[in-house]
């Protein structure tokens, strides 16, 4: 199974990245940081700047069997970077239906990283429902946090180890 982690965070080397790096230390997964790409907000008319990378990026994404979306929790929701990426998936149902079709059957996972140990209610609904809409399979998610020493505490490591087992 080819696995790809897509991270959307306002900082490329912050807490969510620390969690992603832990996962990548346990499983073989490629990594995309959305900050490295130009992804414009969704446009109804498909008018995007020449430097927009979204469709090129998606051509790469469909080469993987399992997609893990990694996001910090910002105001009880996924990051704006990841939400913009999800909005742009609309292009894969309209102007590049071949890409939308290629997403069918792929597995989707979600990793959240917040400051609270508790994940906001229904946080995973946009992931689950988007997977359903795209005919992907939402397998599950894990909620994480970073402790005051800026480390991943042992309990969170246990959660992540369990999560990684689903990906093997
Ligand atoms: C704009 C903003 C909003 C936040 N909102 C929440 C929140 O609603 N719930 C929560 O648990 N943490 C919240 N946090 C804390 C972050 O989720 C947490 O620090 C996370 O580990 C940051 O990951 P990052 O370094 O990848 O940005 C917020 C942080 C920021 C900057």
């Amino acid at each position: 199974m080819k696995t790809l982690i897509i991270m959307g965070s306002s900082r490329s080397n912050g807490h969510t990245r620390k969690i992603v790096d832990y996962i990548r230390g346990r499983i073989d997964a490629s990594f995309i940081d959305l900050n490295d790409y130009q992804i414009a907000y969704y446009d109804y008319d498909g008018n995007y700047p020449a430097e927009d990378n979204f469709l090129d990026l998606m051509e790469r994404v469909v080469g993987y069997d399992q997609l893990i979306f990694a996001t910090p929790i910002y105001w009880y929701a996924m990051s704006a970077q990841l939400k913009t990426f999800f909005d742009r998936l609309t292009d894969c149902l309209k102007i590049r239906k071949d890409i939308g079709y290629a997403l069918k059957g792929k597995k989707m996972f979600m990793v959240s990283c917040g400051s609270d140990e508790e994940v906001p209610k229904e946080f995973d609904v946009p992931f689950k429902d988007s997977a359903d809409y795209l005919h992907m399979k939402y397998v599950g998610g894990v909620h994480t946090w970073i402790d005051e020493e800026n480390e991943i505490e042992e309990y969170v490591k246990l959660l992540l180890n369990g999560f990684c087992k689903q990906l093997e």
Side-chain angles (χ1 to χ4, degrees):
M1 284 256 175
K2 283 181 76 185
T3 304
L4 174 67
I5 302 177
I6 300 174
M7 182 186 84
S9 168
S10 283
R11 48 183 184 182
S12 292
N13 290 302
H15 292 167
T16 309
R17 178 61 181 269
K18 202 177 261 279
I19 299 293
V20 165
D21 288 347
Y22 182 85
I23 294 171
R24 292 187 77 205
R26 299 190 71 86
I27 59 153
D28 181 22
S30 302
F31 172 65
I32 282 175
D33 175 358
L34 292 179
N35 290 331
D36 293 337
Y37 296 84
Q38 301 282 334
I39 303 178
Y41 293 136
Y42 174 70
D43 184 274
Y44 278 88
D45 300 319
N47 289 329
Y48 295 112
E51 62 271 22
D52 188 83
N53 298 140
F54 178 74
L55 290 173
D56 288 345
L57 176 60
M58 283 309 296
E59 282 177 358
R60 185 173 158 207
V61 167
V62 294
Y64 290 85
D65 310 299
Q66 311 195 109
L67 305 181
I68 305 173
F69 292 105
T71 179
I73 296 181
Y74 293 157
W75 287 97
Y76 314 101
M78 73 174 81
S79 67
Q81 289 81 357
L82 192 56
K83 180 59 166 60
T84 299
F85 178 91
F86 269 85
D87 287 356
R88 290 293 302 276
L89 290 172
T90 313
D91 291 335
C92 304
L93 304 173
K94 292 190 168 177
I95 54 179
R96 284 294 306 271
K97 291 183 183 169
D98 57 316
I99 297 178
Y101 190 78
L103 287 170
K104 283 186 183 178
K106 296 189 186 298
K107 292 183 178 174
M108 186 193 291
F109 300 82
M110 186 271 296
V111 177
S112 56
C113 180
S115 53
D116 290 346
E117 297 183 16
E118 223 169 286
V119 64
K121 245 190 309 176
E122 316 279 358
F123 184 82
D124 55 0
V125 168
F127 297 91
K128 280 184 187 159
D129 287 358
S130 299
D132 279 354
Y133 199 84
L134 295 164
H135 303 286
M136 296 176 69
K137 291 179 198 143
Y138 183 77
V139 182
V142 62
H143 176 64
T144 65
W145 57 92
I146 297 292
D147 68 19
E148 279 154 19
E149 280 80 46
N150 218 19
E151 296 298 335
I152 306 174
E153 65 183 60
E154 289 309 309
Y155 177 67
V156 174
K157 285 183 182 171
L158 285 178
L159 294 176
L160 285 167
N161 297 347
F163 175 74
C164 289
K165 283 212 162 22
Q166 295 178 280
L167 296 157
E168 287 163 359

